[in-house]
Amino acid sequence: MVSVIDDERARVPFSLVAALLLVSSATLATSMGPREPPTEPAVATGLERAAAETQTAVRAGALAAGEAAARNPVIDPANTSAGRVLSESGTFRDALRLRVYLAARERLSRVGYRRDGVGVTASLPATPNASALRAAKRRVQIERAGENGTAMRVRVENVTLTARRHGRAVARRDVSPEMVVATPALALHDRVAAYQRRLAAPVTESGLSRQMTAQLYAVAWARGYAQYGGLDVENVVSNRHVSVATNAALLDLQRRTIGTSDANGRRTLAMAVARTGARDALAATGTGTQVTDAMLDPPTEPPPERISGLDPPSGPGPETAKTVTVGTTAERATLDLLDGGGIESAVASVYAADARLVARVDGDSAPRPARPQRPGENWTLVDVGREVSRSATDASPGPPAAPDGWHRLDAFGRTVAVERTRTRTWQRGNETRTTATSASGRHTVSVAVVGRHATADGAPPGPITTAHERGAGPLEGPNLADVRRRAVDRLVQTRGGRDAVARRAARGSLDGEPVRIDVERPAGISDWIYEDLIGLREAIRNVSVTVERGRLGTFEAEPARELAERVRERRSALVDAPERYDSAAAKARAAARARYLDRVVERLEERAAARDDRADGFASTLTGMRDVSARALAAGMRATRRPPATRQPAVDGPGDDVRLGVDAAPSYLTLAELNHEQVSAIEGKGHPLVARNRNAFALPYGEASGAVVDAVFGGSEGVRLSTAARTLRAANATLGENGGGPRTDLATAVADANAHVERRLRGRLAASGVGAGPAERRAIVAGATAECDSLPARALALSNGSASAAIATTAAAEGGLSDAAADRLRLRLEETRREALRESAARPQTAAINETRRAVQSAADGAAERVANETVDRVTGRLANESVDRLPAGLPLAPPAYPWVATTNLWHVQVRGEYARFGIRADRGRPTTPGADTVYARDGDSVRLDVDDDGDRERLGRSTRVRFEASTAVAVVVPPGRTGVGDVDGVRDERSAGWPDAGGGASNRSAKSARRDGDL
């Protein structure tokens, strides 16, 4: 027997026992192993003092490293063992970390504490190779600190403190000092890096391209409209404008990325703006640029937020509205209606009806007769026959029902008796006998002539309340009163009469197909409808849409498609059809209006398709220009309307104000050549800024303008008569009537072209029956154009349509034409004029135009030189001004045969620039403290640093210069007519000296280009 005794005595838990055993074993192991001597008070004190000195040494090293890194920033790592330690993405920061490490290590080597036989030193590992250097870089952590990031937080990990007594190490401790250092090196680098990024930003982002684009748009639109308005503007956009716009953009970007801009740059920009503006203004008075330069003194420094003279113009700009109307498309749609017989067809579709016969047949048909019997024995059947006879007598049954959509015009009834006879012919020998049987039946037949109004193509459906009332309506015509008689005659009388029709119905062979019944039309209805269409046409001419001028010039806007949609939306109101027509004439009017509107929409769609072709041609002319396309052009125009990027705030340091100042060399990037004596940072000589400026549609005409337009739109050889006329007018003003060969040749070509167009117009008069003979028609044309007092004036009248309108008015008055006939003649003459102008006989040759243009330009240049250098009388100045500005330029936004809604031109601008040195000076507000300023400078120099303490400095990399390359495109759109818009001095591709290398040697160029590019 086993007893279980409950023991209530105290027990120790097994887990507690295990813990005690574990602690005991650890204590025993510690007591048995080697043990550091306990830190003595002197050693502890020495370590604490050395740690404090370490903090001071690292701070001083970090501050010195920041200053040195700013003075010689490493931007591009070298392909050396030391340079490869630096990462591509963080080169400046990595180089700064190495500088901090090396500067701290050097200062830590001087840290020491000695007392009571105890000495303490601080140290960091040496860096004899790339591996050690890479490890050293990892020990240092840096980041921007302070409220505005203008200080630097530094942490150096694992600085070793060693305490020794009598040369034997008695204690070691690792410390990682961390502090905020009052150096803005990182902030300065980041702001310059932001500036560099903005310089490289595309036009769709905030940066140089966008800022420069906005500046150039302000200049180009102001000067383009001044040129269009008649002022003497040879170059809408020249390189001197590009230079000013680029520097204004650079200074603005400095303010927005750095917080301030170069004060010398602002002063120089203000002077450049003043000089450029004065040059442009004085050009119209004949005062030369040398006089301008002598008149202007350097202005006082403007505020950094604003440079006077670079504001957007108050006049038209890319975003201003342009109204585009249907215009002459409405007239061409009228001609389409005339040529296609649209009015006559519309009238015919109303003055007609469809008619048909319907019938109802009741009663029993005659049964089939029985078979005739054989006459007797031995008779042989030799023939069989059948015969049906029908006779009709009057009856009055109810009329048959009319089909849906038809109404009864006439009805009649008949009783039709049917007699069926069956015969058999027999023969026996020479004897012949016929036997017969018959049966009869009777039908009651009712017949109706039903009709419906013909479908009036395009006219809204609706009944004609007076359809069968003669004399109702605006023309007191017959309406459709004759339909019943004509339908009955056509369907009943011409088919044998009522009895014959009834017999066919009884037989089941009645023809029920509809037939068209044409009825009499009122006299003069075609002219009445045409005169109504004249009013509709004028309303359609004025249908308009509003588009931005800039979007129109870059082919973003599609006004023709918008116009087509606008006409579709208003179609019902424009057709102007009532729910119930008061006459057939009213419905014919609606049908004609509907057909006309359909043709207007078709013409607008054709115009939209032609716009697409023009857009493709426009884009193809841009393919030779680098970095420019229709899409990029549109993007640049949109980008100029976006708000600028936020400006960097003023900066405050961790204890003192930090005032930044940009110190660039040169402070203003000029197109002129500079050398070391002028700017010490430049080695040798070079061009800080170079520019190329190309005008897409400029003179000479063989390269652009008329010839390019025709190449885009598929025109003939030669130049438009209007272009030739304006060139001849400029030649007459400049060269006089005895201007020599080029002017004489052009005058002959223009006269021949005029004669061709007039010959075609006289032919149209003859085809329209105007004039009793050639002499009379010649007199009509001569009389209508008698006010044209010169050869070019006559050519322009023939080109712009005023001559054909005058001829139509004269012919109508002398021939006593009605309003409708006169209007038709005017439209025919206008169409003939357009066709004639597209023919080669009306297009003077390109060579004659260009030779005359060169003669005009040469004479104008000579006059300008005399005015500038000799200050001759104002007559000569006026002579220069009245010549070149009359030379046409630009791209009409319409091919031949479509309305000319505007003229556009495009300038593609490329700039490249480089600062020999770009620096920022940070003044920490301690003018009495030596070295209080921190200078960050990018000058392209190589950066070397002794990283292995061998006495030789290893190459870390180099401080790249701040350089940029930007391009943009600027489009200007002016109204149609006049001389358009564009550069008319014959220089289509303007390149500054040194292009394409900023800082490179000067290139040879003409005296004229040199004079234009001479910068300020």
Side-chain angles (χ1 to χ4, degrees), residues 355-706:
R356 57 179 289 199
L357 294 174
V358 294
R360 187 181 70 243
V361 178
D362 299 319
D364 298 327
S365 180
R368 184 178 182 181
R371 178 184 298 176
Q373 297 297 317
R374 187 189 300 270
E377 295 294 334
N378 299 323
W379 287 92
T380 302
L381 182 64
V382 295
D383 193 17
V384 298
R386 292 182 177 82
E387 183 179 343
V388 179
S389 64
R390 295 178 176 82
S391 61
T393 57
D394 288 341
S396 301
D404 289 343
W406 298 75
H407 60 275
R408 190 170 62 252
L409 299 176
D410 191 21
F412 57 90
R414 290 291 187 270
T415 298
V416 178
V418 182
E419 184 76 21
R420 297 180 182 275
T421 302
R422 186 176 182 183
T423 61
R424 285 191 152 194
T425 301
W426 309 87
Q427 188 173 10
R428 187 175 64 184
N430 294 327
E431 186 180 359
T432 300
R433 184 175 296 180
T434 299
T435 60
T437 57
S438 62
S440 62
R442 186 179 300 274
H443 296 287
T444 301
V445 178
S446 59
V447 179
V449 178
V450 296
R452 65 181 179 189
H453 298 155
T455 302
D457 295 342
I464 301 174
T465 56
T466 61
H468 301 291
E469 297 179 17
R470 185 177 294 274
L475 299 176
E476 301 180 353
N479 279 323
L480 303 179
D482 248 3
V483 166
R484 178 183 178 280
R485 179 184 63 79
R486 294 188 181 217
V488 171
D489 183 68
R490 174 83 174 273
L491 295 175
V492 178
Q493 301 305 323
T494 61
R495 296 181 180 182
R498 297 187 174 193
D499 289 350
V501 169
R503 288 196 297 269
R504 291 193 191 95
R507 190 170 62 235
S509 60
L510 183 67
D511 182 3
E513 289 297 316
V515 296
R516 175 59 59 94
I517 306 298
D518 294 318
V519 298
E520 180 186 354
R521 305 169 193 175
I525 188 170
S526 292
D527 278 355
W528 177 74
I529 289 177
Y530 185 85
E531 290 173 0
D532 175 75
L533 288 178
I534 292 176
L536 176 60
R537 185 183 70 210
E538 293 310 305
I540 290 294
R541 280 180 62 93
N542 295 322
V543 172
S544 64
V545 294
T546 301
V547 297
E548 289 184 1
R549 293 177 188 267
R551 295 183 69 246
L552 185 66
T554 57
F555 288 91
E556 277 191 290
E558 299 187 62
R561 284 194 173 87
E562 294 182 33
L563 287 169
E565 187 60 31
R566 185 69 56 86
V567 173
R568 289 191 190 97
E569 291 172 355
R570 298 178 56 186
R571 187 179 191 278
S572 178
L574 291 168
V575 170
D576 190 29
E579 291 184 2
R580 301 176 66 86
Y581 296 98
D582 65 358
S583 64
K587 193 165 190 176
R589 167 187 175 271
R593 291 170 76 92
R595 291 184 181 212
Y596 171 72
L597 292 174
D598 290 343
R599 190 58 194 136
V600 168
V601 170
E602 290 175 11
R603 275 287 182 179
L604 288 172
E605 292 291 356
E606 292 172 6
R607 183 168 152 186
R611 173 259 173 210
D612 294 341
D613 292 338
R614 296 199 299 276
D616 292 341
F618 178 76
S620 68
T621 65
L622 307 183
T623 56
M625 297 182 174
R626 182 185 173 192
D627 298 331
V628 65
S629 64
R631 179 176 298 179
L633 180 64
M637 187 175 295
R638 289 193 298 270
T640 61
R641 306 170 199 164
R642 298 174 184 168
T646 304
R647 178 181 172 180
Q648 283 281 9
V651 293
D652 297 315
D656 302 295
D657 290 339
V658 177
R659 293 183 294 275
L660 301 183
V662 175
D663 183 14
S667 57
Y668 183 96
L669 298 186
T670 173
L671 294 173
E673 182 180 84
L674 299 179
N675 56 42
H676 180 72
E677 294 180 358
Q678 295 168 303
V679 179
S680 60
I682 295 178
E683 298 178 2
K685 58 183 180 180
H687 296 84
L689 182 69
V690 293
R692 184 182 186 186
N693 165 27
R694 285 177 288 176
N695 186 199
F697 305 104
L699 300 174
Y701 300 111
E703 295 177 350
S705 193

Side-chain angles (χ1 to χ4, degrees), residues 54-56 58-59 62 152-155 177-181:
T54 297
Q55 191 85 4
T56 302
V58 170
R59 180 185 301 276
M152 181 172 70
R153 185 182 304 279
V154 179
R155 176 183 172 86
E178 180 176 341
M179 74 285 299
V180 172
V181 182

